[in-house]
Amino acid sequence: PYISAINLFRSIKKYKTRFEKILLIAAISDQIMESADSFWKDMEPYIEKDFLFIESDEMMSIFLYIIIQAQMPEILIFCKIINNFTTQFTRGFNISYNYTLLEASLDYINELKDAKEIYLKQNGFIEARRSILDASNQRISRLSSGLGQVKDL
């Protein structure tokens, strides 16, 4: 449902200045609202407009969805540039809110990735995978050396 916001997010590469990039983040937020309004417009007679408001937790979930769907590993670099080379004054309140939302979403993704690695280590999955790979490599080596002996005969 948020394909236009995803495409807009991917276009961040095209913008050269950090200020253009931060304005794009605000435009993404606006695009999310437009997509939601478009989705719900036929439901207005059945659902009160007050219930169609996107709250900050929901907005973060939508940003997470957009980040994941956009598949842009370089977004961390763009965020670092924006953070290091803009000021609160330059960003303004609304833009700062949207940037903070993006940054929080990226932090959440990194925390999930770290938690997954810790879980795998604690439960021995990584060691088990290594031992399976080692055993497979040993079998391949034995088979390869056995084939070499067959050729010699």
Side-chain angles (χ1 to χ4, degrees):
Y2 299 104
I3 193 70
S4 54
I6 293 166
N7 289 333
L8 193 59
F9 188 73
R10 287 179 181 148
S11 75
I12 199 168
K13 301 173 200 177
K14 297 177 188 175
Y15 295 91
K16 301 296 179 208
T17 70
R18 55 198 172 270
F19 191 68
E20 289 173 325
K21 291 179 189 308
I22 203 158
L23 288 176
L24 180 70
I25 293 168
I28 291 167
S29 183
D30 293 341
Q31 187 61 52
I32 290 169
M33 297 300 203
E34 287 176 25
S35 295
D37 288 346
S38 174
F39 179 80
W40 288 106
K41 83 175 177 192
D42 295 333
M43 300 301 286
E44 281 186 34
Y46 309 105
I47 299 174
E48 287 185 44
K49 189 132 177 113
D50 293 342
F51 290 112
L52 301 180
F53 181 76
I54 298 176
E55 294 182 7
S56 59
D57 289 345
E58 294 161 336
M59 190 64 127
M60 186 169 166
S61 296
I62 296 168
F63 258 86
L64 284 167
Y65 175 78
I66 289 169
I67 291 167
I68 292 167
Q69 292 299 315
Q71 298 181 1
M72 291 179 48
E74 65 273 17
I75 192 60
L76 295 172
I77 295 167
F78 295 134
C79 283
K80 194 73 167 168
I81 290 168
I82 291 168
N83 192 40
N84 288 342
F85 298 106
T86 58
T87 63
Q88 288 294 99
F89 178 75
T90 308
R91 292 183 217 155
F93 175 75
N94 191 35
I95 294 172
S96 285
Y97 170 76
N98 291 312
Y99 175 74
T100 302
L101 197 57
L102 173 66
E103 206 171 44
S105 299
L106 291 169
D107 287 346
Y108 183 72
I109 290 170
N110 283 330
E111 286 175 18
L112 287 177
K113 191 175 92 175
D114 292 345
K116 177 183 171 188
E117 288 178 18
I118 290 168
Y119 175 81
L120 292 174
K121 283 180 185 175
Q122 286 176 344
N123 291 295
F125 290 113
I126 291 175
E127 288 77 16
R129 189 172 130 212
R130 279 191 195 127
S131 64
I132 290 168
L133 288 173
D134 288 344
S136 297
N137 288 335
Q138 288 174 358
R139 287 186 192 128
I140 290 169
S141 293
R142 283 194 301 254
L143 287 171
S144 296
S145 65
L147 288 175
Q149 292 173 356
V150 172
K151 285 183 183 177
D152 293 340
L153 292 176

